[in-house]
Amino acid sequence: MDLRQFLMCLSLCTAFALSKPTEKKDRVHHEPQLSDKVHNDAQSFDYDHDAFLGAEEAKTFDQLTPEESKERLGKIVSKIDGDKDGFVTVDELKDWIKFAQKRWIYEDVERQWKGHDLNEDGLVSWEEYKNATYGYVLDDPDPDDGFNYKQMMVRDERRFKMADKDGDLIATKEEFTAFLHPEEYDYMKDIVVQETMEDIDKNSDGFIDLEEYIGWQAYQGGDC
């Protein structure tokens, strides 16, 4: 198929892959959108282009000649073709789009891993994370910005312990990913709910009233 036909197929797969009920996963982390462009295939396939390649990679494609773009696209398609039969199925396209959605998570984990695995042993202990993240502020009990870093550290420690399946306070990369992005792991759902409640329940009475909910929605920039 030519490039236009491929993008039309991609557009359908993108719609299918994203057609699920809206979930408030941004209570814990904000997932960037697949693209900041308008999703209107009647006008252009720019949105699908970003969703398929990733926004940053798509920018590099814009600088390529048609021949270079076609060659680069061919290399990407070979990665999508999981069974290497020379064809890209709808399921393979959906899997690729889902991978593109999660790629920012992997990049974030890799970036933070380098900054927290202080002894470079391939693991991140709670002590390493605490020292790297809070070491420079814990000595100041009254920071200028008024933020309670000790309270934040207690919350992080609680989440770290839940992500740490074997309870040794030393995280593998998978456990560290669950710590940084708990909304992506079923066994971390309780901590997501607990932190969400704490964020919204401003008077700490164990309930979320209408005023608290509307205030949180306004802060999040969402619709009630």
Side-chain angles (χ1 to χ4, degrees), residues 46-143:
D46 288 346
Y47 180 96
D48 304 295
H49 195 210
D50 285 1
F52 177 65
L53 297 170
E56 292 303 316
E57 182 73 11
K59 291 177 182 178
T60 67
F61 264 74
D62 293 339
Q63 310 301 319
L64 301 177
T65 65
E67 292 76 15
E68 291 171 332
S69 179
K70 184 176 181 179
E71 180 181 358
R72 182 85 66 87
L73 184 61
K75 293 178 180 179
I76 293 175
V77 168
S78 68
K79 297 178 182 179
I80 302 172
D81 180 18
D83 57 13
K84 306 302 178 185
D85 64 352
F87 297 91
V88 173
T89 65
V90 171
D91 286 339
E92 286 171 335
L93 267 180
K94 287 191 295 184
D95 288 342
W96 176 264
I97 292 169
K98 289 176 182 178
F99 168 77
Q101 284 182 280
K102 303 303 179 187
R103 182 160 42 194
W104 72 279
I105 292 178
Y106 307 138
E107 293 172 352
D108 177 54
V109 171
E110 287 298 327
R111 177 179 57 81
Q112 297 212 44
W113 184 265
K114 294 176 182 177
H116 292 98
D117 182 14
L118 302 181
N119 62 5
E120 299 182 349
D121 64 348
L123 300 166
V124 173
S125 68
W126 167 247
E127 286 300 314
E128 283 180 311
Y129 181 83
K130 181 179 69 174
N131 291 334
T133 305
Y134 298 104
Y136 71 100
V137 295
L138 291 180
D139 293 335
D140 183 0
D142 187 23

Side-chain angles (χ1 to χ4, degrees), residues 35-50:
S35 173
D36 57 5
K37 299 181 175 65
V38 176
H39 193 187
N40 186 344
D41 295 328
Q43 296 181 359
S44 75
F45 293 111
D46 288 346
Y47 180 96
D48 304 295
H49 195 210
D50 285 1

Side-chain angles (χ1 to χ4, degrees), residues 6-224:
F6 181 79
L7 287 174
M8 289 181 68
C9 181
L10 172 64
S11 169
L12 294 174
C13 293
T14 303
F16 186 89
L18 301 180
S19 60
K20 59 182 180 180
T22 301
E23 298 175 307
K24 281 293 181 181
K25 290 185 176 180
D26 57 352
R27 298 301 192 196
V28 181
H29 289 279
H30 292 269
E31 285 194 32
Q33 297 180 359
L34 291 179
S35 173
D36 57 5
K37 299 181 175 65
V38 176
H39 193 187
N40 186 344
D41 295 328
Q43 296 181 359
S44 75
F45 293 111
D46 288 346
Y47 180 96
D48 304 295
H49 195 210
D50 285 1
F52 177 65
L53 297 170
E56 292 303 316
E57 182 73 11
K59 291 177 182 178
T60 67
F61 264 74
D62 293 339
Q63 310 301 319
L64 301 177
T65 65
E67 292 76 15
E68 291 171 332
S69 179
K70 184 176 181 179
E71 180 181 358
R72 182 85 66 87
L73 184 61
K75 293 178 180 179
I76 293 175
V77 168
S78 68
K79 297 178 182 179
I80 302 172
D81 180 18
D83 57 13
K84 306 302 178 185
D85 64 352
F87 297 91
V88 173
T89 65
V90 171
D91 286 339
E92 286 171 335
L93 267 180
K94 287 191 295 184
D95 288 342
W96 176 264
I97 292 169
K98 289 176 182 178
F99 168 77
Q101 284 182 280
K102 303 303 179 187
R103 182 160 42 194
W104 72 279
I105 292 178
Y106 307 138
E107 293 172 352
D108 177 54
V109 171
E110 287 298 327
R111 177 179 57 81
Q112 297 212 44
W113 184 265
K114 294 176 182 177
H116 292 98
D117 182 14
L118 302 181
N119 62 5
E120 299 182 349
D121 64 348
L123 300 166
V124 173
S125 68
W126 167 247
E127 286 300 314
E128 283 180 311
Y129 181 83
K130 181 179 69 174
N131 291 334
T133 305
Y134 298 104
Y136 71 100
V137 295
L138 291 180
D139 293 335
D140 183 0
D142 187 23
D144 293 337
D145 59 10
F147 194 85
N148 192 333
Y149 288 100
K150 289 187 177 180
Q151 184 178 6
M152 185 175 177
M153 185 182 70
V154 169
R155 178 163 157 155
D156 272 356
E157 183 176 11
R158 181 182 63 194
R159 191 200 290 184
F160 193 98
K161 288 179 177 179
M162 181 167 283
D164 176 29
K165 286 185 172 182
D166 57 11
D168 61 357
L169 288 180
I170 300 174
T172 63
K173 186 166 287 189
E174 185 70 14
E175 290 171 335
F176 192 63
T177 303
F179 166 69
L180 293 176
H181 300 278
E183 71 282 359
E184 300 298 326
Y185 291 80
D186 287 340
Y187 80 97
M188 296 292 290
K189 292 298 172 68
D190 286 348
I191 202 72
V192 173
V193 173
Q194 184 174 358
E195 291 182 4
T196 299
M197 281 289 298
E198 291 171 352
D199 289 342
I200 304 176
D201 181 21
K202 297 302 184 183
N203 61 10
S204 302
D205 65 351
F207 297 92
I208 297 175
D209 59 37
L210 182 60
E211 183 178 350
E212 288 171 330
Y213 180 73
I214 292 175
W216 177 260
Q217 285 287 352
Y219 174 77
Q220 293 289 88
D223 298 324
C224 299

